[in-house]
Amino acid sequence: MFKIKTYNTISVKGLNRFAREKYEIASDIGQPDAYILRSHKLHGEPLPESVKAVARAGAGTNNVPVDEYTKKGVVVFNSPGANANAVKELVLAGMLLGSRGILSGMEYVQTLTHMTDADEMSKLLEKEKSNFAGYELQGKTLGIVGLGAIGSLIADAALALGMNVVGFDPALSVEAAWRLPSQVGRMENLQSLLARSDYITLHVPAIPATRHMINADTLKVVKKGATLLNFAREAIVDAHAVVESLDAGHLGRYICDFPEPILLKRKDVYAMPHIGASTEEAEENCAIMAADQLMDYLENGNIKNSVNFPAVSMDRGPGIGARITFSNENVSGVLGHVLSILADNKVNVVDMVNKSRGDVAYNIIDVAGAPDASVIDAIAKVDHVIAVRVI
């Protein structure tokens, strides 16, 4: 039986994916095989040797010490795209709030509690409504930085609203390119996108290369009066630089999901309380995806949507006695050494797959008979092998 330790509140629909005859699930479980969590920070926490995988019910994995876990052979999964629609809808709401005097108009209405005559109130609002006039999104240009699952959905929605859409993504995958509407103009660099866009929305991960990608220098080229939206990660925007640009009258408005003290009490900043993925549907979708990925890895050794290991999958055909999986440092000769051990011990290999990603490699080997413990121990002792298990 596999043991799963939960952190945070995980959607019941996700937890119900685990068959109770195969899995024990609890928040205080001992010697777990895997973790499933949302925002709980694992940095600095001791990692039991029993843990083989961590599944994050969400896209970001900043709360997981990925490099440390990789060295121990722990596969870290995320749930890309599961909350994409929730974020897309909030970005659209942010653009609408930023283009019209919606919030200021509603706040003004609440100051009229002294009025008792509806006709009098109607006449006053007719007179004052020009103070809350705004602009339509139709015909404006939206620049999308990051054209993955969320960015492509926003592109679709913006085009349906009659906007012009341009995008920039230096790491655009083939799969993401296929999802992208053909009407999206591709910008060669960030500066070109910033200079052209009336609205700029950010959808890139928080990695060293993207830290403060919106800063004092990049904001110098932004189109005057543009609205910047950040529903991706706090670290990709330098809030102090944004405030300076707003004060200088260059950037028109900043709308984000990451409040900071410097952003408060400003009429040109709309800061929301980290609600980008806070919908019932998004939490369910993330939990279901995380659970399914964990089960496939624990039961079959397959890897999908890992942030630190390659995507590897192999069907289990007839005549399979056992499945051996092992991870290793990505250096030459390791797989050959392991295969030699199997051959020397007359363990017949039926099928296998080997994939690498950066400094790590991962292997699935199906064998005809169940190998002795001594064989697995010999594999574990091969130079550069990180972790090995038999399924």
Side-chain angles (χ1 to χ4, degrees):
M1 178 171 283
F2 295 110
K3 296 181 178 181
I4 309 294
K5 182 173 182 176
T6 63
Y7 290 92
N8 312 116
T9 300
I10 306 299
S11 168
V12 173
K13 287 192 176 181
L15 297 181
N16 284 344
R17 308 288 284 191
F18 295 104
R20 293 305 186 261
E21 64 271 17
K22 292 183 180 180
Y23 292 89
E24 181 183 351
I25 306 166
S27 60
D28 58 352
I29 204 164
Q31 297 301 303
D33 293 285
Y35 295 158
I36 184 169
L37 73 161
R38 291 171 60 200
S39 58
H40 179 83
K41 296 185 184 301
L42 293 173
H43 294 274
E45 291 195 6
L47 181 73
E49 291 186 5
S50 60
V51 174
K52 305 170 184 65
V54 173
R56 161 80 163 93
T61 54
N62 290 2
N63 55 321
V64 181
V66 176
D67 291 342
E68 174 190 335
Y69 285 13
T70 303
K71 294 174 183 177
K72 297 179 179 180
V74 176
V75 181
V76 180
F77 297 95
N78 68 345
S79 309
N83 60 9
N85 188 71
V87 178
K88 175 204 76 175
E89 291 185 0
L90 197 60
V91 170
L92 293 178
M95 286 198 295
L96 290 167
L97 290 173
S99 65
R100 307 286 293 273
I102 298 171
L103 293 178
S104 57
M106 292 171 65
E107 289 171 358
Y108 173 72
V109 168
Q110 294 302 316
T111 67
L112 305 179
T113 54
H114 62 282
M115 301 186 72
T116 58
D117 188 300
D119 289 336
E120 181 184 356
M121 180 179 289
S122 180
K123 291 177 182 178
L124 176 62
L125 293 177
E126 189 66 27
K127 176 183 175 182
E128 297 292 332
K129 68 180 183 182
S130 60
N131 294 324
F132 312 107
Y135 302 92
E136 296 182 10
L137 297 179
Q138 183 175 346
K140 303 299 188 300
T141 296
L142 171 65
I144 304 174
V145 182
L147 298 167
I150 297 172
S152 60
L153 285 180
I154 292 171
D156 276 327
L159 289 168
L161 289 170
M163 301 184 77
N164 304 309
V165 181
V166 296
F168 170 67
D169 190 337
L172 185 65
S173 67
V174 174
E175 182 182 355
W178 277 109
R179 288 197 304 261
L180 203 61
S182 60
Q183 302 97 313
V184 176
R186 189 171 181 184
M187 298 287 97
E188 293 301 320
N189 53 62
L190 176 62
Q191 287 75 11
S192 297
L193 181 143
L194 296 176
R196 181 173 174 177
S197 303
D198 301 296
Y199 297 83
I200 302 134
T201 184
L202 308 172
H203 301 286
V204 295
I207 57 177
T210 62
R211 177 172 174 76
H212 286 180
M213 67 183 301
I214 301 298
N215 53 49
D217 289 334
T218 52
L219 286 170
K220 288 177 182 177
V221 302
V222 76
K223 186 175 182 179
K224 186 175 176 61
T227 295
L228 174 67
L229 302 105
N230 179 17
F231 289 87
R233 286 290 180 268
E234 180 178 359
I236 64 180
V237 173
D238 182 346
H240 288 83
V242 165
V243 168
E244 290 177 2
S245 184
L246 291 168
D247 287 342
H250 200 66
L251 188 65
R253 194 178 302 277
Y254 181 46
I255 302 172
C256 70
D257 207 18
F258 312 101
E260 298 183 45
I262 195 173
L263 300 174
L264 303 182
K265 294 186 177 180
R266 296 188 62 99
K267 292 186 179 299
D268 50 10
V269 174
Y270 296 164
M272 303 178 194
H274 299 274
I275 58 174
S278 295
T279 67
E280 182 177 336
E281 295 87 348
E283 291 181 5
E284 290 175 354
N285 292 339
C286 288
I288 289 170
M289 183 181 290
D292 287 351
Q293 290 166 178
L294 266 187
M295 287 189 293
D296 197 18
Y297 177 68
L298 292 174
E299 296 179 26
N300 302 305
N302 295 327
I303 299 177
K304 181 180 180 182
N305 292 328
S306 169
V307 300
N308 61 340
F309 276 75
V312 184
S313 180
M314 189 168 75
D315 292 335
R316 304 183 77 166
I320 305 301
R323 169 166 286 189
I324 302 169
T325 71
F326 70 93
S327 57
N328 60 275
E329 297 170 4
N330 190 18
V331 297
S332 61
V334 178
L335 178 58
H337 195 163
V338 170
L339 292 176
S340 294
I341 291 174
L342 295 176
D344 291 345
N345 287 274
K346 295 182 172 49
V347 178
N348 183 38
V349 174
V350 178
D351 201 358
M352 64 171 289
V353 62
N354 163 263
K355 296 285 185 180
S356 63
R357 178 176 179 175
D359 295 331
V360 68
Y362 181 75
N363 312 264
I364 300 176
I365 303 176
D366 283 349
V367 295
D372 292 339
S374 60
V375 174
I376 302 305
D377 185 56
I379 294 174
K381 291 178 180 178
V382 171
D383 287 344
H384 306 294
V385 165
I386 302 170
V388 59
R389 67 188 182 110
V390 179
I391 303 173

